[in-house]
Amino acid sequence: MTKIQHHLTDALLMGYAAGTLPEAFSLVVASHVSMCDECRARLASYEALGGGLIDGAEEMALSDDCFEAVMARIDGADAPAAPPVRRVRRPGLFPVPLQDYVGGDVEAVRWRPIGMGVRQAILETDREATVRLLHIPAGSAVPDHGHNGTEITLVLQGAFRDEDGRYGPGDVEVATEEMHHTPVAEPGMDCICLAATDGPLKFRAILPRLAQPLLRI
Amino acid sequence: MESPVKTETQDADWVDAMIRVRTQRDRAAFARLFRHFAPRVKAFLVKSGATEALAEECTQDVMATIWQKAHLFDPERASVATWVFTIARNRRIDLIRRSRRPEPEDLPWGPEHEPDQAEALALQQESERLGRALAQLPDKQRDLIERAFYGERSHSEIASETGLPLGTIKSRIRLALDRLRHEMKQST
């Protein structure tokens, strides 16, 4: 695989570390982090910030029997914990978090044609935002799939180009509503992407948070 | 404002307590972790918008998980505070937001690899530095980072709460993160 050139923004990594992103966006972040050691390290630094905040937080009084309740819970369930299932890379095109949502690798995807040879498969998440797989024939333009807010696109196979550059496997493009661009799949190999966008049923604007140029630490 | 002075070894003490919980099911060590972290986890959940009753319930859940999953804690990858934070965050997503959280795949090495004391110590020291740098931020900046980080609220909602213009909030958060980065560099 060629080196990843386009990474997650700090705002997305911080939102994922904080646990405030919609599930659809979290799936794209988790998939990219699975493919990108640099963003994995940056994510860890935002989680450390969360740890620092909780460590320095003011205390809030607990109920009197809180500790006893926890110990009772532990004693009630203290079977030796099963060794955790390691979620390491499995054969296939998709990173593990995406395989979990698809229920398999690329051959398990239930594609639906959306015109011009392009196919999509919408994955089930909560309704704050939408995430879909897109299959674009080599050499074709990516159709306007109607993002009315922020859209993040992770390339899984093939590549596309637009005014901003070339996006190959592992690269993420973060596009805002104001951006008018016409991505075109490179000739040679069909392009498969994972794209999350603010869903039509979104009432709470996540755009201000995502578009934030929050900083790296 | 009272802010307890943290010793250089505080984070290492928490690691020690975690290892006692993991290897000896040591209840006294767990009680120490509980006294420090449980009231802070509860505060975090309330600040994130949970009712006090739900936060209490969720805190018990988080603390029980710490006991049950002690074998998954890896001091080379995170401080105890960071690990506790990720557990609390995940419970908040499950119980309060009622959503799922996709997790990245694991690296090909895991908690069963040969432990490296020096790596673990370096990471714990770095976490302490980050903690001190955070504590030294002006209250206003730390408060805004906290809200942006913990809250379900967007910047514009914070703006209507604090009465500050959106641009000011954004630049204060940036300033705070810049300052943290600077502190981390200086003390390396």
Side-chain angles (χ1 to χ4, degrees), chain A residues 16 18 63 73 75 126 212, chain B residues 27 56 61 92 99 102 170:
Chain A
Y16 181 73
S63 65
R73 212 185 270 214
D75 290 331
D126 69 38
Q212 269 305 308
Chain B
R27 286 174 183 241
E56 178 90 19
D61 223 76
R92 185 182 70 183
S99 183
K170 290 178 181 175

Side-chain angles (χ1 to χ4, degrees), chain B residues 37-61:
Chain B
F37 287 108
R40 291 172 168 84
V41 167
K42 185 174 176 185
F44 160 66
L45 294 166
V46 167
K47 274 187 199 162
S48 310
T51 61
E52 204 184 324
L54 183 56
E56 178 90 19
E57 171 73 21
C58 207
T59 298
Q60 291 184 12
D61 223 76

Side-chain angles (χ1 to χ4, degrees), chain A residues 16-19 34 40 47 53-55 60-61 63 73 75 86-87 89 96 126 128 212 216, chain B residues 6 27 36 39 42 56 61 89 92 97 99 101-102 104-107 112 149-150 170 174 181:
Chain A
Y16 181 73
S34 299
R40 189 186 286 273
E47 288 181 335
L53 287 172
I54 218 166
D55 204 34
M60 186 166 195
S63 65
R73 212 185 270 214
D75 290 331
R86 301 289 314 288
R87 296 169 70 252
R89 192 70 199 238
V96 171
D126 69 38
E128 277 188 90
Q212 269 305 308
R216 67 190 69 215
Chain B
K6 289 173 74 183
R27 286 174 183 241
H36 181 73
K42 185 174 176 185
E56 178 90 19
D61 223 76
R89 170 198 70 194
R92 185 182 70 183
R97 296 188 70 200
S99 183
R101 177 182 173 85
E105 54 193 52
D106 292 323
L107 288 169
E112 68 274 15
F149 206 80
Y150 290 170
K170 290 178 181 175
R174 248 189 324 262
R181 205 168 43 203

Side-chain angles (χ1 to χ4, degrees), chain A residues 121-134:
Chain A
I122 294 175
L123 304 177
E124 198 172 325
T125 58
D126 69 38
R127 303 178 80 179
E128 277 188 90
T130 311
V131 64
R132 72 194 80 205
L133 280 159
L134 284 165

Side-chain angles (χ1 to χ4, degrees), chain A residues 68-122:
Chain A
E68 285 70 29
V70 170
M71 293 320 289
R73 212 185 270 214
I74 286 167
D75 290 331
D78 206 14
V85 181
R86 301 289 314 288
R87 296 169 70 252
V88 292
R89 192 70 199 238
R90 295 192 283 255
L93 180 64
F94 296 163
V96 171
L98 181 54
Q99 288 184 351
D100 292 346
Y101 274 73
V102 168
D105 203 62
V106 66
E107 62 282 344
V109 177
R110 290 202 297 260
W111 297 106
R112 302 264 184 280
I114 54 170
M116 313 282 286
V118 177
R119 294 179 290 164
Q120 74 170 17
I122 294 175

Side-chain angles (χ1 to χ4, degrees), chain A residues 121-203:
Chain A
I122 294 175
L123 304 177
E124 198 172 325
T125 58
D126 69 38
R127 303 178 80 179
E128 277 188 90
T130 311
V131 64
R132 72 194 80 205
L133 280 159
L134 284 165
H135 184 288
I136 304 127
S140 302
V142 181
D144 179 3
H145 36 272
H147 62 91
N148 50 7
T150 299
E151 181 182 63
I152 58 174
T153 307
L154 169 67
V155 178
L156 299 159
Q157 175 192 293
F160 68 81
R161 279 178 189 279
D162 68 9
E163 292 82 345
D164 288 336
R166 176 186 187 272
Y167 296 82
D171 284 334
V172 186
E173 185 192 49
V174 180
T176 57
E177 202 167 356
E178 304 83 56
M179 267 176 73
H180 292 287
H181 61 157
T182 38
V184 178
E186 277 191 349
M189 189 184 266
D190 290 355
C191 182
I192 298 177
C193 308
L194 180 68
T197 182
D198 302 32
L201 289 169
K202 180 191 64 62
F203 301 110

